[in-house]
Amino acid sequence: MKRYCLALDLQDDPLLIAEYEAYHEDVWPEIKASISDSGITDMEIYRFANRMFMIMETDDSFSFERKAAMDASNPKVQEWEKLMWKFQQPLPNTKPGEKWVLMDRVFKLSTGD
């Protein structure tokens, strides 16, 4: 199992943030299936103001390249992503069109090692 942490910003608009969170209270079943089918076994998204933080745990079948290819061939995922982009904005220093960006771990406390 591997863990990935990613970040993304939302538009800094309380109404849009509330609408975004409402969509995530009832994520489309096709989106949940596409997440699971890609090898993601657990996913959580947290928010502070308009900053988002995602934690993903994956099995050995997961890769970002495989997930991107699966998403590109899934019309429902493309529809969801287009809808979500209304609420999202790229982080500073991202490439054009880049959404969620992988974060680097800078500290880890391990007990019992």
Side-chain angles (χ1 to χ4, degrees), residues 34-89:
S34 76
I35 292 168
S36 296
D37 293 347
S38 72
I40 297 169
T41 58
D42 191 49
M43 177 186 282
E44 295 178 282
I45 300 175
Y46 297 85
R47 180 181 68 80
F48 175 76
N50 69 321
R51 178 68 39 96
M52 305 276 286
F53 179 73
M54 178 192 296
I55 304 170
M56 295 184 342
E57 292 188 355
T58 66
D59 64 25
D60 292 337
S61 72
F62 177 82
S63 77
F64 285 101
E65 296 78 17
R66 180 170 165 264
K67 174 76 170 122
M70 291 173 69
D71 290 352
S73 67
N74 185 326
K76 204 64 175 175
V77 170
Q78 292 304 306
E79 181 183 350
W80 176 266
E81 289 300 325
K82 183 178 179 184
L83 176 62
M84 291 302 107
W85 196 237
K86 167 185 171 184
F87 309 104
Q88 300 166 336
Q89 65 180 348

